[in-house]
Amino acid sequence: MQGLDFSIVPEYWPLIGKGLWWTVVISTASAVLSVLAGIGFALLVLYASPVVRYPVRLFMWLFMGTPLLLQLFLIYFGLVQIGIDIPAIWSGIIALSLHFAVYNADIFRAGIAALDKGQTEAARSLGFGAWRTRIYIVVPQAVRGTVPAVGNMMIALLKESSIVSMIGIAELVHSAQLVISETYRPFEFYLTAAALYYGLNLILEAVLRGIERKVELSR
Amino acid sequence: MNDTRPMIEVRGARKFFGPLEVLKGIDFSVARGQIVAVIGPSGSGKSTLLRSINHLETLDGGEVWLDGVQVNQKLDRRSFERHINGVRQQMGMVFQHFNLFPHLNVAENITIAPIKLKGMAKAEARALALKMLDKVGLADKIDAFPARLSGGQKQRVAIARALAMQPKVMLFDEATSALDPELVDEVNLVMKQLASEHMTMVIVTHEMRFAAEVADRVIFMADGAVVEEGSPAEFFRNPKQERTRSFLKKFLNG
Ligand SMILES: Nc1ncnc2c1ncn2[C@@H]1O[C@H](COP(=O)(O)OP(=O)(O)OP(=O)(O)O)[C@@H](O)[C@H]1O
Ligand SMILES: [Mg+2]
C-alpha cells in the first residue's frame, strides 16, 4: 500500500489550476444565464399569449423531467446530427443554463405570485403599463425575494458543473482525473479537487450572503 | 378652458362581482377644485367606486369622465392600454396600505414615474421629489427606504409620489385607516393643505370629523347606491334619510 503524499500536488498545480479556472468560468456564465433565462421563462409562462406560453411550459416540463447529463449529450452530440454544431464549452454552458433556468423560473414565478397586489395597482395607478409594471416593479421585487432559493440553485449548479467533464472539458474534476492517470494518486488529487470545490462554495455562499444583506436593506 | 365642466363625472356606474351587484347605478360629479368625501358602511361600494374612476375596477355599465375625456371608453385592447395609461397619469391615487415600492428609496419611489413615463431627466426629477417631499414635510427622508419609515411617513411619501405626476385630481381610499391613531393627523394635515391649494379630491373616509372639516360635499353610500349627499353642514347637522341618521348615530356613539 502506498502512503499518502500531498507534496506532489504543487507540481501539478498548473493543470489543476486550469481546471479550477474552467469550473469557475462555466459556473459563473451558467449561473448568470440561468437567472436571466429563468426570469424570461417566468414572465413568458405568466404573461405571454397562449401561442408562446404553452410551448414554453412544455419545454420547461421536459427539462424538469430529464437528467442534466441527457440534456448535455443531446445538445453536444445530438444537435450536430441536424447541423447545429456547438463547441463543447458552449454546449456545457447552454445545458447547465437551461437546466437551472427551468428551476429558477419556477422559483421566480412563485415569487411573483407572492407579491402584494397593491404593488401592481400602485404602479398602474401612476400610469405604468402592464409590461413596464412588470419590468420596473414586479421583477425587481420578485428577484429580491427569491435570492435565498435561487442561491441554493446556484450552489447546486457549481457542483453539477462537473458534468461537463463528460464531453471532454477539462474542468476541475476532469483535470484531477488527467493528473491521476499520470500519477496514480487518486486520493490526493480527488481530495485536492474536493477542497477546491469547498473553497469555491465558501466564496459563493459569502457572495450570496452579501447579496441577501444588500437587498434586505432595500426592502 | 371650460371651467364649468366637471372635473370628474360618473354616470350610471354599475359593477358586479359575480352575482353581487356592488354599484347599482351611481351618478355624481366633482367640480374643478372641489373636495368630495365619500362615506358609508363597510361593503357599501366606496372603494369600488373610487377604483373605477381610474379604471382599477372595470365598470359593467355607465361612464366615467375626467375633465371631458371618457375614462372607460371602448377601444381595442392596445389603444385602450395607451389611453388608460395616459388618463391615469392625470389622477393620483392614495391607498389604505400606502403601497410604496419597497425596493426603491423615497426619492426613487417619487421619481420613477416622472422619469420612466414622462422622460424627465434624473436631476430634474430629484429636484421635483425634493419639492414634493417638502410639501409633505419629509425632505430629510429623501434617501431613506420605505421600511425605515413610520406608517404616517409612508403615506405622506405615497402622496408625494402621486403629486409628482402633477395630477388633475387626487383619489384617497381610506388613507388613514391603517395608521396608528397618533399618526392620523400628520396625513390629514397634508390633505388639508392640498385642499387649500384647490386640488380636486375624492376622499373615501371613515373619519366623520375630517370629512366635515375638509369636504365641500359629502356623499353617503349604502348597498351600492348614493343615499344622500349635501354640504357637510346640512349633511351632518340635518340628515334627511333615516339610513343616514342611523349610520351617523352609530358613529357618534361608537
Ligand atoms: N375583487 C372583488 N371580488 C369580489 N367581491 C368584491 C371584490 N372587491 C369588493 N368586493 C365586494 O364588493 C362589495 C363592496 O366592496 P368595497 O370594497 O367597494 O366596499 P367599501 O365600501 O370600500 O368597504 P370598506 O369600508 O370595508 O372599505 C363588498 O361586498 C365586497 O366584499
Ligand atoms: Mg374600502
Side-chain angles (χ1 to χ4, degrees), chain B residues 3-95:
Chain B
D3 268 17
T4 55
R5 182 172 67 199
M7 185 60 103
I8 298 171
E9 185 152 29
V10 176
R11 288 190 212 133
R14 299 187 73 196
K15 175 72 184 175
F16 290 84
F17 284 119
L20 182 69
E21 188 171 13
V22 176
L23 299 179
K24 299 174 177 167
I26 303 241
D27 298 283
F28 82 104
S29 69
V30 186
R32 201 171 295 273
Q34 198 177 38
I35 294 149
V36 171
V38 180
I39 64 173
S42 185
S44 56
K46 307 181 296 293
S47 296
T48 307
L49 176 64
L50 195 75
R51 290 159 56 83
S52 38
I53 294 175
N54 72 353
H55 207 77
L56 284 181
E57 301 290 353
T58 308
L59 288 179
D60 296 308
E63 294 176 358
V64 178
W65 292 72
L66 173 75
D67 201 14
V69 176
Q70 189 178 351
V71 174
N72 61 338
Q73 54 187 272
K74 298 261 175 298
L75 292 169
D76 65 271
R77 216 168 58 96
R78 205 166 284 226
S79 313
F80 184 77
E81 173 88 2
R82 206 166 327 122
H83 156 76
I84 198 64
N85 293 340
V87 168
R88 281 171 175 157
Q89 289 181 31
Q90 303 169 49
M91 296 197 248
M93 183 148 198
V94 176
F95 301 86

Side-chain angles (χ1 to χ4, degrees), chain A residues 90-111:
Chain A
W90 280 109
S91 296
I93 289 173
I94 291 170
L96 281 166
S97 300
L98 288 179
H99 184 83
F100 284 92
V102 165
Y103 288 98
N104 288 342
D106 237 30
I107 295 170
F108 288 132
R109 190 171 56 166

Side-chain angles (χ1 to χ4, degrees), chain B residues 200-211:
Chain B
T200 308
M201 302 200 269
V202 181
I203 302 172
V204 172
T205 183
H206 277 146
E207 292 176 84
M208 299 307 134
R209 188 184 303 276
F210 180 66

Side-chain angles (χ1 to χ4, degrees), chain B residues 28-39 170 172 188 191-196 198-220 228-237:
Chain B
F28 82 104
S29 69
V30 186
R32 201 171 295 273
Q34 198 177 38
I35 294 149
V36 171
V38 180
I39 64 173
M170 287 285 284
F172 294 87
N188 282 347
M191 292 167 69
K192 277 186 199 160
Q193 187 195 323
L194 279 180
S196 73
H198 306 293
M199 173 64 82
T200 308
M201 302 200 269
V202 181
I203 302 172
V204 172
T205 183
H206 277 146
E207 292 176 84
M208 299 307 134
R209 188 184 303 276
F210 180 66
E213 275 173 24
V214 77
D216 301 311
R217 198 149 53 89
V218 178
I219 293 179
F220 174 62
E228 181 166 355
E229 62 174 290
S231 74
E234 54 181 307
F235 180 88
F236 287 111
R237 245 176 263 147

Side-chain angles (χ1 to χ4, degrees), chain A residues 169-208:
Chain A
I169 296 171
E171 46 64 72
L172 191 45
V173 172
H174 196 57
S175 302
Q177 278 172 327
L178 290 175
V179 173
I180 290 160
S181 65
E182 224 173 274
T183 59
Y184 305 103
R185 292 279 185 178
F187 202 74
E188 284 89 338
F189 283 100
Y190 281 139
L191 266 188
T192 302
L196 289 170
Y197 271 110
Y198 198 75
L200 287 179
N201 244 317
L202 287 180
I203 293 169
L204 178 55
E205 274 171 30
V207 169
L208 289 170

